[in-house]
């Protein structure tokens, strides 16, 4: 036998469709429609032109400059870009309720090759193969992939009828299992979010000796970051990414914010796999992105405006649509299947996401693009609805 039994039992993640046969407007992978800040381009160009020899050297294994920049950005923005105010001089101010009641320090940051790799190390570090961890039934579909990869049992909790998390059931199952909790907030693919106080109440009731992981991939588009709760809870790990609000899906950068003790545990896992996980160019571009929060505040606000406009369009067009706090919308039509919507929109040259998963097969998930892209999408939907 050439392969291990472990490989036979793997069920890999299926990403959003990557077009090959023609050029599509791509609104199926929750990427940001805007390019990174010009400061990122300048930083990369300067690095290559002025220090090409560094591409032949190993990068900083601890990403110290990047971690300092991430911490500084979080302190300036409160961790929710779309809720920041933006001054004419380029300064940003977090919403009063988002201000972090302590200073995030670089030793509270761990970074890796996208939040997917970060999640992999987090799963390995904190979930045990002898105990079931708790997660929502419909959430980021990479969680069960990692559970299978590391042979960790899952306890999936159905969502409530309104598609929100069943907090009470999650807590009761976590108390029984003693294996920890993970959920995305805002959740994917629903786009709904718990408030910071709701998460705080969960943490107060949860076992303080069990890990509590909140995936904040989409929080910059209107949710409430749980970073302020780190002052109160030592078992909290917050996972974040550059791929969404920082216009950096191609950079492959993700990170956690947590206590230095838990960051050190994840770092130990990383150093047991690859001592140099983030390449030099990604560190340079990520640092430059964090140093220009005003640009990304503006991008996040534009995405939120386009999202809310498209939400109203879908409601007025007879769709059942959830009120998103992300850069995507989850919706279904009363008389057109999710599969037919996906196919019809694709025929119009636009990709959206359809899941064949039982329970959500009637829905489509629509990434929010630029105003121009969303206008094209509205016309495509109108054409299909009229048929």
């Amino acid at each position: 036998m050439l392969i291990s039994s472990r490989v036979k039992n793997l069920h890999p993640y299926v990403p959003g469709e990557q077009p090959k046969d023609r050029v599509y407007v791509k609104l199926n992978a929750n990427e940001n429609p805007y390019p990174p800040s010009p400061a990122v381009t300048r930083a990369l160009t300067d690095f290559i032109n002025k220090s090409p020899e560094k591409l032949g050297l190993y990068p900083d294994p601890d990403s110290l400059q990047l971690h300092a920049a991430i911490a500084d950005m979080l302190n300036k923005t409160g961790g929710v870009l779309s809720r920041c105010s933006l001054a004419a001089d380029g300064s940003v101010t977090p919403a009063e309720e988002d201000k972090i009641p302590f200073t995030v320090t670089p030793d509270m940051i761990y970074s890796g090759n996208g939040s997917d790799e970060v999640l992999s190390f987090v799963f390995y570090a904190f979930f045990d193969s002898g105990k079931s961890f708790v997660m929502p039934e419909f959430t980021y579909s990479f969680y069960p992939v990692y559970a299978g990869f590391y042979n960790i049992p899952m306890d999936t909790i159905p969502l409530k009828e309104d598609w929100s998390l069943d907090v009470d059931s999650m807590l009761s199952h976590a108390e029984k299992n003693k294996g920890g909790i993970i959920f995305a907030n805002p959740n994917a693919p629903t786009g709904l979010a718990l408030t910071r106080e709701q998460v705080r109440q969960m943490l107060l009731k949860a076992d303080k000796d069990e890990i509590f992981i909140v995936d904040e991939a989409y929080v910059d588009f209107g949710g409430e970051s749980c970073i302020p709760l780190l002052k109160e809870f030592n078992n909290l790990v917050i996972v974040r990414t550059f791929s969404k609000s920082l216009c950096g899906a191609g950079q492959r950068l993700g990170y956690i914010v947590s206590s230095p003790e838990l960051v050190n545990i994840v770092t130990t896992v990383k150093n047991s796999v690859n001592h140099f996980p983030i390449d030099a160019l990604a560190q340079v571009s990520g640092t430059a992105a964090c140093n220009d929060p005003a640009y990304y505040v503006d991008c996040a606000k534009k995405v939120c405006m386009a999202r809310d406009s498209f939400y109203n369009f879908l409601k007025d067009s007879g769709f059942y649509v959830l009120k998103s706090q992300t850069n995507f919308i989850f919706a279904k039509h009363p008389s057109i299947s999710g599969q037919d919507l996906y196919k019809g929109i694709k025929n119009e040259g636009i990709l959206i996401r359809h899941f064949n998963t039982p329970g959500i097969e009637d829905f489509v998930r629509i990434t929010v693009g630029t105003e121009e892209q969303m206008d094209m999408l509205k016309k495509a939907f109108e054409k299909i609805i009229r048929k």
Side-chain angles (χ1 to χ4, degrees), residues 13-17 27-28 351-355 363-365:
Y13 175 77
V14 179
E17 182 179 1
L27 300 177
N28 68 331
L351 293 179
I352 59 177
R353 189 80 187 265
H354 173 255
F355 301 91
F363 283 86
V364 290
R365 193 196 67 193

Side-chain angles (χ1 to χ4, degrees), residues 122-129 133-134 152 179-182 211 213:
V122 165
F123 266 64
Y124 189 91
F126 301 118
F127 290 149
D128 196 285
S129 60
F133 71 91
V134 168
I152 305 168
I181 291 176
I182 185 170
I211 202 69
I213 302 166

Side-chain angles (χ1 to χ4, degrees), residues 27 310 345 350 366 373-381:
L27 300 177
F310 197 72
I345 296 298
I350 304 171
I366 305 156
Q373 289 173 332
M374 300 313 287
D375 285 341
M376 291 175 59
L377 187 58
K378 287 177 183 178
K379 293 177 182 177
F381 267 98

Side-chain angles (χ1 to χ4, degrees), residues 41-97:
T41 306
R42 289 195 297 269
L44 287 171
T45 301
D46 287 347
F47 180 83
I48 293 171
N49 287 337
K50 297 177 181 178
S51 307
E53 72 282 356
K54 290 186 178 180
L55 292 176
L57 305 175
Y58 287 116
D60 175 8
D62 299 312
S63 305
L64 295 179
Q65 187 176 12
L66 174 61
H67 292 180
I70 291 172
D72 184 59
M73 175 191 64
L74 295 175
N75 290 321
K76 288 178 177 177
T77 65
V80 188
L81 292 173
S82 67
R83 286 152 58 105
C84 289
S85 59
L86 184 58
D89 64 358
S91 60
V92 300
T93 305
E96 190 64 33
E97 60 270 25

Side-chain angles (χ1 to χ4, degrees), residues 128 131-133 173-180 207 209-210:
D128 196 285
K131 301 176 182 178
S132 296
F133 71 91
H173 281 244
E175 182 179 2
K176 176 185 66 177
N177 298 337
K178 303 296 182 184
D207 191 330
D209 293 326
E210 302 298 336

Side-chain angles (χ1 to χ4, degrees), residues 205-369:
K205 297 173 185 176
D207 191 330
K208 305 301 183 292
D209 293 326
E210 302 298 336
I211 202 69
F212 195 104
I213 302 166
V214 181
D215 185 345
E216 291 190 345
Y218 299 100
V219 75
D220 275 318
F221 299 104
E224 295 182 6
S225 177
C226 291
I227 292 174
L229 301 181
L230 290 169
K231 183 178 182 180
E232 195 174 353
F233 301 99
N234 292 325
N235 60 329
L236 175 61
V237 174
I238 298 167
V239 181
R240 297 174 64 106
T241 182
F242 279 63
S243 296
K244 313 304 180 185
S245 57
L246 292 180
C247 311
Q251 287 174 302
R252 305 313 303 134
L253 281 174
Y255 62 99
I256 66 170
V257 193
S258 190
S259 68
E261 292 76 19
L262 296 187
V263 165
N264 285 337
I265 291 172
V266 179
T267 302
T268 296
V269 174
K270 179 265 290 186
N271 286 339
S272 301
V273 177
N274 180 1
H275 192 44
F276 300 98
I278 301 179
D279 68 66
L281 292 175
Q283 291 190 39
V284 167
S285 63
T287 300
C290 290
N291 289 338
D292 191 9
Y295 176 86
Y296 296 100
V297 167
D298 181 60
C299 289
K301 288 181 180 295
K302 288 190 288 190
V303 168
C304 290
M305 288 180 62
R307 176 198 66 204
D308 294 344
S309 173
F310 197 72
Y311 168 87
N312 291 330
F313 163 79
L314 290 176
K315 291 282 285 185
D316 293 343
S317 301
F319 281 78
Y320 173 79
V321 54
L322 302 183
K323 186 64 174 175
S324 173
Q325 291 180 274
T326 65
N327 69 333
F328 61 84
I329 290 175
F330 200 53
K332 65 178 180 177
H333 193 272
S335 59
I336 307 173
S337 72
Q339 180 73 8
D340 286 344
L341 274 173
Y342 156 76
K343 289 181 178 178
I345 296 298
K346 184 176 181 179
N347 287 338
E348 298 300 315
I350 304 171
L351 293 179
I352 59 177
R353 189 80 187 265
H354 173 255
F355 301 91
N356 288 317
T357 308
I360 58 173
E361 67 273 17
D362 289 332
F363 283 86
V364 290
R365 193 196 67 193
I366 305 156
T367 303
V368 178

